[in-house]
Amino acid sequence: GFQELVALLLPLLENHIYHAPLRVSFATVYRHVPSKLPEFGSILWHSDNHHEEELKCMIYLNEVGVDQAPFEFLRHKDTHETPVIVPSMPRKYPRGRIPPEVIEEFLAQGYESHKMLGPAHSTFLFDEKIIHKGNYAIEGYRDVVVLQLRPTMYHTPPYIGTWTRSF
């Protein structure tokens, strides 16, 4: 199950990305399906106000095309640079939701929306402070494991424990 998946993945991230022991501070599984609801929550453009060293890992559990609610983020058309919202208190934007006029400004400056497509087991590691959003599926669905990771001073197996939040 979940512990086994994390036990396979996290040593790779510890050794090749963080160079430090990791802990999962948040873990959940989402299913994004077609919906007629207005966009809200993580379906809106947003940035997460997390610590500098925290990253998010997403693992697609099924093939995700443009119609299956792909993860989406802003990047520059030429450089692929991703705009980052620096964490602050109080937050620059309420609840981290980026107003449409700010998104329009980025688009006018050469940024574009990029959707992460891929087969089942595609894994993405990203800084949660980039401007990103989820989507409703147009047809089918997207099943995804989401892990919020942070370094820790000591190895504390298992990676997911009483300190791990979820829905």
Side-chain angles (χ1 to χ4, degrees):
F2 220 52
Q3 288 282 10
E4 292 80 9
L5 171 68
V6 170
L8 289 171
L9 176 65
L10 265 58
L12 294 171
L13 298 177
E14 287 173 332
N15 293 324
H16 300 287
I17 303 293
Y18 275 93
H19 306 289
L22 289 177
R23 177 177 283 179
V24 176
S25 57
F26 178 82
T28 195
V29 178
Y30 292 107
R31 172 167 276 188
H32 291 256
V33 297
S35 176
K36 302 257 190 254
L37 290 173
E39 291 186 346
F40 71 99
S42 64
I43 301 296
L44 296 169
W45 287 107
H46 68 281
S47 175
D48 299 320
N49 202 32
H50 294 135
H51 298 289
E52 191 64 34
E53 65 277 354
E54 287 189 332
L55 295 178
K56 191 171 275 185
C57 181
M58 297 181 106
I59 305 164
Y60 288 170
L61 299 180
N62 61 297
E63 183 169 346
V64 176
V66 293
D67 292 339
Q68 286 77 48
F71 171 73
E72 189 171 355
F73 65 97
L74 287 185
R75 71 176 189 184
H76 195 274
K77 291 177 187 175
D78 299 322
T79 66
H80 293 184
E81 173 192 356
T82 53
V84 171
I85 305 298
V86 177
S88 63
M89 290 308 270
R91 294 180 97 167
K92 184 172 184 174
Y93 303 108
R95 297 183 40 84
R97 300 316 180 246
I98 313 298
E101 59 273 13
V102 173
I103 299 300
E104 290 302 321
E105 287 175 28
F106 276 110
L107 297 176
Q109 295 169 15
Y111 287 85
E112 65 183 353
S113 164
H114 180 74
K115 295 181 179 183
M116 296 299 288
L117 313 178
H121 308 117
S122 293
T123 304
F124 312 108
L125 188 67
F126 66 96
D127 183 338
E128 301 171 282
K129 293 172 289 305
I130 65 170
I131 298 173
H132 62 283
K133 69 190 285 290
N135 286 290
Y136 293 127
I138 295 169
E139 65 177 47
Y141 59 91
R142 175 184 70 151
D143 285 343
V144 61
V145 171
V146 178
L147 304 171
Q148 187 173 310
L149 308 171
R150 65 178 180 167
T152 185
M153 293 293 293
Y154 306 102
H155 240 342
T156 53
Y159 291 104
I160 297 176
T162 56
W163 55 83
T164 304
R165 296 176 301 117
S166 186
F167 292 133

